[in-house]
Amino acid sequence: MKLNQIITSLLETDMYKFSMGQTIFHQFTDYKTTWTFKCRNEDVHFTQKMVQEITEQIKAFCKLRFTEDELAYLDNIKWIKGSYVDFLRLWQPRFEDFEIGTDAPCGLSIEAKGTWLNTSMYEIPTLAIVNEVYFRMAYDYDKLLDSFKKRLDAKYENLKNGHWYAGTFSEFGLRRRLSAEAQELAVQKFAHLNDTLHSSSKFVGTSNVYLAKKYGLTPVGTMAHEWIMCTGQGNHRHNPAYSNWYALDAWIKEYGVLNGIALTDTITTDCFLRDFQLTYATLFSGVRHDSGDPYEWGEKMIAHYKSLGIDPKTKTLLFSDSLDFERADKLYRHFCKEINVAFGIGTYLSNDTDVPALNIVMKTTICNGMDVAKISDTPGKGMCKNPDYVDYLNRCIDYRMKNDR
């Protein structure tokens, strides 16, 4: 490796990987998945030297193991069970699960194939590695970091003096961060926000479990789109238009009323609401927005809670789609009188520099030999290798929406 090792701990991933991982371990150990990397930036190219460095960094990641100190930290999280911690004590990434090459328009292709237990844990570290390698090798990194620090200082001051009010917010930027150094600077900075008497905004945690442990913060995260896609579409006996029901049912079996923020947009929020009826709406503490118009979504969720006789003030709307503090401020002021509002803010906190951030993803594309897809509330955010399957899934959703009342 030409660069220092980027991922240095297996805790250096998003919290929802452990939330989903425990349930996969207890209920879906036999599921197998394929994950596919995609760069959505049309003007970005990864050189051969970058691809080689990414390969070496992933090899180094695959040599890591959980330490007893890290396992003890996980064991103290109230909803993590000892059986899962014991599994993690034995678990290790496998470089053999990766296929890394140059056969893609951007010059970098990555696929990971294997058990869902394994491959789910590869997504976040892989994306963090790709980001950091790219920005260190394509630009003058020191200049980028200087611009990052200046912008970070300005954000902090604007929150501290009340120019923006972001309510309760967390840092969600691991997958698209400029670097490990930059993300840690952001977490350090905003951890001090809670110490000032001048700020009414509250920083509650980070999705990065390693940094949460290091700075005594709350590790934040429940479920991702992979959860709904695989539990709902990875079984040939399931109608994929009911993906949310299968996902919510398995989650409640694992956690009951704990760890309960539901993701709504995997096969559209309108379809999600067909399954998010009284039992689930009561047991889950809130819902997360990740695509579509946030105002329309929020009003729709408030109306849904009211239609079920649930007081919206007992629930939380968690916004996490392409946020900055200005947008968060406006969303908070719009919704705060009717429902609790929280924010998960990613790239804006971990990779805001003088150059545009990468728009890269790594998504589940196959589960148990079958295509899976995310439809989303925003056209273009989905990803699937088979357009025929997307058409089939859309027709299933359309039929249900028209006929299943």
Side-chain angles (χ1 to χ4, degrees):
M1 293 186 299
K2 293 186 176 181
L3 304 177
N4 291 332
Q5 186 167 341
I6 292 170
I7 300 296
T8 59
S9 166
L10 291 181
L11 284 187
E12 203 163 1
T13 190
D14 283 338
M15 186 67 229
Y16 63 24
K17 288 298 181 178
F18 295 109
S19 301
M20 293 183 292
Q22 175 169 283
T23 314
I24 295 168
F25 175 64
H26 288 143
Q27 300 184 43
F28 302 99
T29 51
D30 59 335
Y31 275 38
K32 291 182 171 60
T33 56
T34 296
W35 290 70
T36 305
F37 169 83
K38 182 178 182 180
C39 178
R40 293 170 175 159
N41 305 77
E42 295 182 358
D43 58 345
V44 166
H45 181 74
F46 293 87
T47 66
Q48 184 62 51
K49 289 183 178 179
M50 291 178 187
V51 175
Q52 182 60 37
E53 181 66 21
I54 289 165
T55 302
E56 294 303 314
Q57 290 285 345
I58 291 175
K59 282 183 181 178
F61 156 70
C62 289
K63 293 178 182 178
L64 295 172
R65 303 293 180 268
F66 284 103
T67 68
E68 286 302 316
D69 180 58
E70 291 170 339
L71 293 168
Y73 174 79
L74 292 173
D75 201 30
N76 282 327
I77 296 173
K78 63 181 179 180
W79 46 262
I80 289 187
K81 300 171 184 176
S83 58
Y84 181 53
V85 174
D86 279 345
F87 163 74
L88 292 177
R89 182 171 282 110
L90 303 173
W91 183 78
Q92 60 188 69
R94 297 180 71 253
F95 182 71
E96 295 79 6
D97 291 342
F98 287 88
E99 295 178 4
I100 306 169
T102 59
D103 186 21
C106 68
L108 172 65
S109 61
I110 304 174
E111 279 202 334
K113 300 177 181 179
T115 64
W116 191 14
L117 269 172
N118 277 1
T119 52
S120 176
M121 296 291 280
Y122 300 157
E123 176 198 2
I124 305 303
T126 298
L127 292 175
I129 286 169
V130 170
N131 261 296
E132 186 157 349
V133 168
Y134 178 78
F135 285 109
R136 284 187 181 274
M137 296 182 73
Y139 294 96
D140 183 328
Y141 172 76
D142 289 335
K143 288 184 178 179
L144 286 185
L145 187 64
D146 284 343
S147 68
F148 173 83
K149 289 177 179 178
K150 290 176 182 177
R151 294 176 184 222
L152 184 65
D153 288 344
K155 291 165 192 167
Y156 179 84
E157 289 303 318
N158 278 318
L159 281 184
K160 179 180 175 182
N161 64 29
H163 177 70
W164 291 320
Y165 179 57
T168 298
F169 72 98
S170 304
E171 187 275 330
F172 274 22
L174 173 52
R175 70 181 60 213
R176 293 177 183 169
R177 67 189 185 186
L178 171 65
S179 64
E181 178 184 19
Q183 187 185 21
E184 184 161 358
L185 285 171
V187 169
Q188 280 181 305
K189 191 81 171 178
F190 288 106
H192 291 304
L193 188 68
N194 299 334
D195 301 331
T196 176
L197 298 176
H198 302 286
S199 176
S200 51
S201 300
K202 184 178 181 183
F203 179 65
V204 295
T206 173
S207 64
N208 184 328
V209 185
Y210 173 79
L211 291 179
K213 177 181 182 294
K214 185 172 182 178
Y215 291 100
L217 299 166
T218 300
V220 181
T222 52
M223 65 178 69
H225 296 101
E226 66 173 281
W227 176 251
I228 298 95
M229 291 162 64
C230 293
T231 57
Q233 301 170 39
N235 186 324
H236 70 275
R237 292 171 294 182
H238 292 173
N239 181 334
Y242 293 81
S243 293
N244 289 300
W245 185 90
Y246 292 108
L248 296 172
D249 183 62
W251 199 265
I252 291 301
K253 286 178 182 176
E254 186 70 27
Y255 295 117
V257 297
L258 298 176
N259 205 22
I261 296 287
L263 182 59
T264 72
D265 70 330
T266 306
I267 56 170
T268 75
T269 294
D270 287 338
C271 194
F272 169 85
L273 292 178
R274 292 296 175 89
D275 293 313
F276 199 60
Q277 294 303 314
L278 185 60
T279 298
Y280 295 137
T282 300
L283 292 174
F284 280 86
S285 58
V287 286
R288 177 160 75 93
H289 171 266
D290 198 53
S291 66
D293 184 283
Y295 295 95
E296 291 181 9
W297 176 85
E299 296 294 350
K300 186 178 293 184
M301 293 309 310
I302 290 170
H304 185 72
Y305 281 125
K306 288 180 178 178
S307 74
L308 298 174
I310 296 174
D311 180 2
K313 290 298 289 183
T314 65
K315 301 297 178 181
T316 297
L317 299 182
L318 174 59
F319 294 91
S320 64
D321 180 31
S322 304
L323 290 175
D324 56 31
F325 285 134
E326 185 173 355
R327 291 186 69 198
D329 179 285
K330 292 177 180 177
L331 285 165
Y332 179 84
R333 296 179 192 279
H334 184 86
F335 289 111
C336 67
K337 293 182 180 179
E338 289 197 83
I339 195 166
N340 297 312
V341 182
F343 303 98
I345 303 178
T347 310
Y348 173 72
L349 292 185
S350 68
N351 197 355
D352 184 15
T353 72
D354 288 340
V355 302
L358 291 181
N359 187 356
I360 58 174
V361 295
M362 193 167 177
K363 298 290 187 183
T364 322
T365 50
I366 297 175
C367 182
N368 297 332
M370 296 179 291
D371 295 295
V372 294
K374 180 182 79 166
I375 299 299
S376 175
D377 291 329
T378 299
K381 287 197 76 172
M383 181 171 168
C384 182
K385 290 182 176 181
N386 186 352
D388 289 338
Y389 177 74
V390 176
D391 178 66
Y392 165 71
L393 177 56
N394 274 313
R395 284 187 286 112
C396 289
I397 295 168
D398 186 59
Y399 182 87
R400 182 182 181 190
M401 296 304 292
K402 290 177 179 178
N403 296 281
D404 179 14
R405 302 297 177 184

